[in-house]
Amino acid sequence: MSRRAQILGTAAELFAARGFHGVSVADLGAACGISGPALYKHFPSKDAVLAEMLVSISEELLAVGRERVAVAGGDPAAALRGLVDWHVDFALRHRALIVVQDRDWESLPPDARERVRGLQRAYVDLWAAQVRSLDPVLGLDGARATAHAAFGLINSTPHSGLLDDEEMRGVLTGMALRALAVPVLTP
């Protein structure tokens, strides 16, 4: 893992635990095994760490989401299964990022906030297109609301520590697919 990736991962955990404003550059450097000022070799500011963290996860969600839809070959139920599988996997692996995105959104620099918003709109629309393919009567706003509701369900992972990850994966996947009116396939 690169030093930059280590800083981003450590920052996500610290920001999730203490909030963006509760973590100093010195705290972040110490947690990474470097001095606070050495952090500036990798990022120009703490704001830049937050920006890269949230922009890069939004880019990843969209890129992999597009891949999942392409692999489905025009089958909206298969595409939604792929999207749900991807988003559940992401949510279980990146609980801290979900907390940071939710809680520290206002701390994101304006240009990064606009970039994240654009990426997130594209991700929502990717889901909404598949939802509408399953239910052509549903309007775009309804399909977007359906996608957001599914995200809310899946992104509840930081607050649901009652089950281990594999059991939680099954619960979240089944619930999200049913919420999207996608038949749940049993092995």
Side-chain angles (χ1 to χ4, degrees):
M1 173 187 311
S2 73
R3 176 65 82 177
R4 195 172 178 83
Q6 177 202 16
I7 292 167
L8 289 169
T10 301
E13 294 296 328
L14 288 174
F15 294 169
R18 297 191 243 166
F20 176 75
H21 294 294
V23 177
S24 69
V25 170
D27 295 335
L28 183 51
C32 292
I34 59 176
S35 70
L39 191 72
Y40 295 119
K41 291 179 185 174
H42 305 280
F43 293 93
S45 67
K46 188 174 79 164
D47 288 352
V49 172
L50 180 63
E52 183 166 327
M53 180 188 307
L54 296 183
V55 168
S56 67
I57 65 164
S58 297
E59 289 171 341
E60 181 181 2
L61 281 166
L62 180 58
V64 175
R66 285 177 173 157
E67 289 170 11
R68 296 293 175 103
V69 169
V71 167
D75 177 350
L80 285 166
R81 281 188 199 95
L83 288 167
V84 166
D85 178 63
W86 159 238
H87 201 101
V88 167
D89 181 64
F90 179 87
L92 289 170
R93 285 184 299 112
H94 299 291
R95 286 174 170 93
L97 290 172
I98 292 169
V99 171
V100 171
Q101 164 81 29
D102 185 49
R103 187 181 50 217
D104 294 315
W105 175 257
E106 291 301 320
S107 297
L108 197 58
D111 57 329
R113 193 176 317 141
E114 284 307 309
R115 176 80 175 127
V116 170
R117 274 192 186 125
L119 291 162
Q120 289 177 345
R121 275 192 296 270
Y123 188 61
V124 168
D125 284 346
L126 183 69
W127 283 63
Q130 303 310 309
V131 169
R132 289 187 77 197
S133 291
L134 278 183
D135 183 0
V137 175
L138 189 62
L140 181 57
D141 287 343
R144 285 175 173 155
T146 300
H148 278 287
F151 300 157
L153 186 151
I154 296 168
N155 289 344
S156 69
T157 55
H159 314 289
S160 52
L162 300 175
L163 301 175
D164 69 31
D165 281 358
E166 282 312 303
E167 290 176 290
M168 199 64 204
R169 180 182 311 283
V171 168
L172 291 171
T173 299
M175 290 181 73
L177 290 174
R178 286 189 290 279
L180 294 164
V182 175
V184 178
L185 302 178
T186 53

